[in-house]
Amino acid sequence: QEQLVESGGGLVQAGGSLRLSCAASARTFTFSGYGLAWFRQAPGKEREFVGSIRWSGGNTYYADSVKGRFTISRDSAKNTVHLQMNSLKPEDTAVYYCAAGRPITSTVRRADSYYYWGQGTQVTVSS
């Protein structure tokens, strides 16, 4: 079973920035041909789509709530995807998950389009 490993979470004040990273735990798992997404889940809430990137081509998609503040990028040399989060708000507090799959354009925002998931990393934004 392929696994993903997230890093970079932590505690930050409102208005601050964090950069999350997601890498494959197995060196044999390359992201080529996959879509990589970030989801988040706050306590008592359902998991929600944050953004995604197509490894081939680099097309990105974002939730309206983070558009203009968050940026997804990929590092092909390191087989890693990043989520740069700027202007963080307390409502961004959640566990952030990285996921990989092969969604089509109309399904990039659906969690069931992804079949490899990380364990999650906590992001806490204080007011």
Side-chain angles (χ1 to χ4, degrees), residues 23-83:
S25 59
R27 299 183 69 177
T28 55
F29 180 23
T30 62
F31 292 154
S32 178
Y34 282 88
L36 279 299
W38 290 94
F39 287 79
R40 67 186 182 186
Q41 188 166 19
K45 295 187 177 181
E46 293 187 353
R47 189 169 298 189
E48 66 173 352
F49 173 80
V50 174
S52 68
I53 186 168
R54 292 197 181 279
W55 195 259
S56 303
N59 300 63
T60 55
Y61 308 85
Y62 296 97
D64 288 343
S65 59
V66 307
K67 199 172 295 183
R69 299 188 297 123
F70 291 10
T71 303
I72 294 178
S73 62
R74 69 196 192 286
D75 184 334
S76 299
K78 296 183 179 180
N79 201 43
T80 300
V81 63
H82 301 289
L83 178 66

Side-chain angles (χ1 to χ4, degrees), residues 76-100:
S76 299
K78 296 183 179 180
N79 201 43
T80 300
V81 63
H82 301 289
L83 178 66
Q84 178 66 43
M85 305 185 293
N86 298 328
S87 302
L88 282 161
K89 305 174 181 180
E91 51 263 45
D92 294 318
T93 295
V95 176
Y96 283 70
Y97 298 90
C98 177

